Every structure is written in structure tokens, then in C-alpha cells.
Amino acid sequence: KQWYQRRVRGLHARGKFTVWDTNDILTLRTQHRIVGSLIGSLPDHTQQNLFHGVPLLLEIEEVFVGIQNNFLTLEDNVVFETPSKEEVESYWSQQYKEAEELTIKERERKKAKEKEWREKNHQTLESNNNSKRKRDEQKEKQAEDVNRNEEKDETQTTTSEDSSSNSEKNVTPISSSTTQTTTTQTVETNQNSTQNEPNQATPTKPTDKTPPTSTTNPQTPPFDLNLTIPSTSLRKTLSFSIPQLTFTSQQILRCKIFSDLWSKGFYLTCASKFGGDFLAYPGDPLRFHAHYVIIVVEFEQTITALDIISYGRLAVSVKKSPVLATVDNNDTVRYTTIDWQGVT
């Protein structure tokens, strides 16, 4: 309960408002919806600028809301004592010592990483060599199978030729007398058949030589060759004052609008990158995108059509709604939202 009711302690020096306690920074963000901007560097990563640490820099509008709602106190014009020569020397000695320790740690880290890389590379080379050796052995085995099958095919062909030649030798020769008798009988029979049937065609004379019959039959090879291929893988001046601070009329106008939006439950940050004054978030900026770009204008300020187009194009290009905010003569905050639509 005391943590929820605590007041945040801020420092005001040279026109800047900062908070150095991490618990205060957490309280501002979680309990009061004050975001601010971290501007310090991280001790272990001093060269990067993506992530920052303490202190937390507050805008004057955030300070205004904090003092107005009594959850922020300021220590104005804080003066720090000048360190002595011994303290300066001790500080730099400590800095050099820490830098040397960090250098040694970095070298050890690089050596360990290099050793790990070499071991991993060696294992990769051994694995590649084993894979290559297996592929070579597989290719040699396939080549031997092919040669063995070819030799087997040649042996079968030679055997079939020998058997056909033996069959030719076993044919019984026909004697001349038998041939003459057969020929005479054939001629006589042909003459008689010709006289009896003159319209029939004369049959051809049979040849003496009979072509050899081959026992071989051209078929596919008696083996299957399966090759395995390895795969590769604004407004007028307002009468407003806060102790310890002096505001200009423009700052008072911005503070009024900021306070009104904050009271409506929005998280607010700077919108200079988006062509406006404030970005309004429905929740914590770490979890939500901004819905509105707030543009602060004077109540009697003249706005041209070109200005409206510029506001609309800037906001729509970042998927946000442009809102013109001002304070009228009755000290009432008024908002005008530009509904930007494309024309086809």
C-alpha cells in the first residue's frame, strides 16, 4: 500500500527533468501512465543505442501533470559537489580496471568460440569424408555387378551358338540316287497334274539346303540393373503558474491539452517523428500502437487547406487518425478529428 501511495522524486537541473530511481520510474509508468524517455546507456552495452537505461527524462507536460495530481515532487536546481582529485583518479583507475577485465573476458570468449567452431568444422569434414567413402564403395559395387552380369550374358550367348552348330552337324545328308528318284517322281506327278488341271499354278521346286534352326531366342537380359543415385541435398496566454516552474503561453496550452488527454486514460508520448505534438495510446506503448496523432493549434489560428492535407497525409501514412486540439476562450479543450478518405 505504501508503494502505491509513494511520491516520485524528480530532479530539475538546467531545464531538464530527470528521475533516477528505478522504482520511481516503474511507479510512474504502471500507476500514473507517465512514460518519459530513458536516455542513459547500459553498463554492459555502452556502444549500442537501441536500448537505454536510467535516468528517465520527463517532458514539461508530464511534470505538469505530476505536480498537478500530487504524485511528483521536484528538487529544483540541484547542485552537485565537484569531486576531489583523489576521487577522480580513483574513478578512472576503477574504469581502467573494469575495461581490462572486460577485454580479458572478451578474448576468452572469442577463443572458446573459435575452438568450438574448429571442432564443429572437423566433425563436418569427417562426416563428409565418410559419406564420400560410402558413395565410392557403392559405385564400385555397382560397377562390379554390371561387369559380372555382362560376363554372364556373354557366356550364355557362346553356349547358344555352340548348340546351334552341333544341331547342324547332326543333320543326315541326302544321297544322289534318292534325290534323282524323288525328282523324277515329282516331275511325272507334276506333268500329270498339269494335264488334268491346266489352270492351276505350277508349284515351285524345293531347295536342297534347309536353313539351320536356331535355338536362341532374342529376349531381354536375364537380370535387372538397379542403380541407386545418391541425393544432394494553439490559444492565447492563460493565467497559470506552478511553483518552481515558469511556463510560456505555448507550453501552458500544451500542458492543458496533455492533462485533458491523460485524464481520459491515454498514454501520451512525443510525436515529433510523426508530424504532431503527442501520440495517444489506448494502453502501454509496449503493448499497443498509437491511435491518434495530436496536433496542438491556437484557437484563433488560421488553418489552410494545404495544412489539413498535410496533417491528413502524415497521419494516414502511419495508420493513425490526425486530431487538431485547442483550448477556447472558456478554457475548454476542444478536439477536431480529420477523417481522411481516398478518392477514386
Side-chain angles (χ1 to χ4, degrees):
K1 187 175 180 181
Q2 293 178 355
W3 182 75
Y4 280 96
Q5 295 177 351
R6 65 179 297 169
R7 297 182 66 183
V8 176
R9 175 175 173 265
L11 301 181
H12 177 212
R14 299 180 181 180
K16 302 294 182 182
F17 307 95
T18 55
V19 179
W20 291 81
D21 193 332
T22 55
N23 292 326
D24 289 341
I25 295 174
L26 182 63
T27 300
L28 285 175
R29 190 176 190 111
T30 58
Q31 301 301 319
H32 306 297
R33 303 191 311 279
I34 299 297
V35 180
S37 302
L38 292 171
I39 60 174
S41 61
L42 300 179
D44 295 337
H45 304 280
T46 57
Q47 300 299 321
Q48 57 85 33
N49 57 1
L50 296 177
F51 304 97
H52 301 280
V54 295
L56 180 73
L57 179 66
L58 298 177
E59 299 293 338
I60 192 170
E61 296 83 10
E62 296 172 325
V63 175
F64 175 88
V65 171
I67 294 177
Q68 187 183 43
N69 293 274
N70 200 30
F71 61 79
L72 177 66
T73 59
L74 281 181
E75 294 185 9
D76 195 17
N77 296 324
V78 178
V79 178
F80 299 96
E81 296 181 358
T82 303
S84 62
K85 185 177 180 180
E86 290 77 9
E87 291 176 342
V88 173
E89 290 179 354
S90 175
Y91 170 79
W92 286 113
S93 176
Q94 184 68 21
Q95 290 292 316
Y96 291 143
K97 183 178 179 181
E98 292 179 357
E100 187 176 357
E101 291 177 354
L102 289 174
T103 303
I104 294 173
K105 289 181 180 180
E106 183 66 16
R107 288 176 181 174
E108 293 177 353
R109 186 188 68 82
K110 288 184 177 180
K111 288 181 180 179
K113 188 175 181 180
E114 185 178 357
K115 182 179 179 181
E116 181 183 358
W117 179 84
R118 287 181 178 178
E119 292 177 353
K120 186 176 180 180
N121 191 25
H122 180 68
Q123 294 176 357
T124 304
L125 290 176
E126 287 184 351
S127 177
N128 293 337
N129 291 334
N130 292 333
S131 300
K132 185 178 179 180
R133 190 180 304 109
K134 289 181 180 180
R135 290 196 299 268
D136 293 341
E137 291 176 356
Q138 188 176 8
K139 288 180 180 180
E140 291 178 358
K141 184 177 179 181
Q142 292 174 355
E144 290 177 357
D145 292 341
V146 171
N147 293 333
R148 189 181 303 110
N149 291 328
E150 289 179 353
E151 292 176 357
K152 184 177 180 181
D153 189 23
E154 291 177 358
T155 303
Q156 291 179 352
T157 305
T158 305
T159 304
S160 61
E161 291 178 355
D162 293 340
S163 62
S164 61
S165 61
N166 291 331
S167 61
E168 290 179 357
K169 292 180 180 179
N170 294 329
V171 174
T172 304
I174 302 174
S175 61
S176 57
S177 60
T178 306
T179 302
Q180 292 177 358
T181 306
T182 305
T183 303
T184 306
Q185 292 178 356
T186 304
V187 171
E188 292 177 354
T189 305
N190 288 338
Q191 289 178 357
N192 295 329
S193 61
T194 301
Q195 292 175 359
N196 297 330
E197 298 178 0
N199 295 329
Q200 292 183 357
T202 304
T204 58
K205 182 179 179 181
T207 58
D208 295 338
K209 295 184 179 180
T210 304
T213 58
S214 176
T215 59
T216 60
N217 189 14
Q219 297 178 352
T220 56
F223 62 90
D224 294 329
L225 184 60
N226 297 322
L227 297 178
T228 303
I229 302 176
S231 59
T232 59
S233 334
L234 273 262
R235 173 190 145 142
K236 301 178 182 178
T237 303
L238 302 176
S239 57
F240 192 88
S241 63
I242 291 179
Q244 301 172 300
L245 297 178
T246 302
F247 295 86
T248 64
S249 60
Q250 182 68 19
Q251 288 176 339
I252 293 174
L253 181 60
R254 288 169 58 91
C255 288
K256 280 285 192 180
I257 296 171
F258 186 95
S259 178
D260 186 72
L261 290 168
W262 180 85
S263 64
K264 296 180 185 299
F266 288 103
Y267 284 75
L268 300 169
T269 62
C270 180
S272 58
K273 294 181 179 180
F274 299 90
D277 293 279
F278 307 117
L279 286 176
Y281 296 81
D284 194 301
L286 292 176
R287 299 178 58 189
F288 296 89
H289 288 288
H291 287 184
Y292 306 103
V293 177
I294 311 300
I295 303 167
V296 178
V297 296
E298 294 281 353
F299 181 64
E300 296 178 354
Q301 178 179 342
T302 301
I303 301 177
T304 64
L306 183 60
D307 294 334
I308 295 176
I309 293 174
S310 300
Y311 298 151
R313 289 177 66 87
L314 281 173
V316 171
S317 63
V318 291
K319 299 181 180 180
K320 296 171 177 47
S321 298
V323 178
L324 301 181
T326 188
V327 179
D328 61 14
N329 293 328
N330 296 324
D331 206 22
T332 303
V333 181
R334 296 184 178 274
Y335 304 97
T336 303
T337 303
I338 302 175
D339 188 9
W340 188 264
Q341 295 181 353
V343 179
T344 57

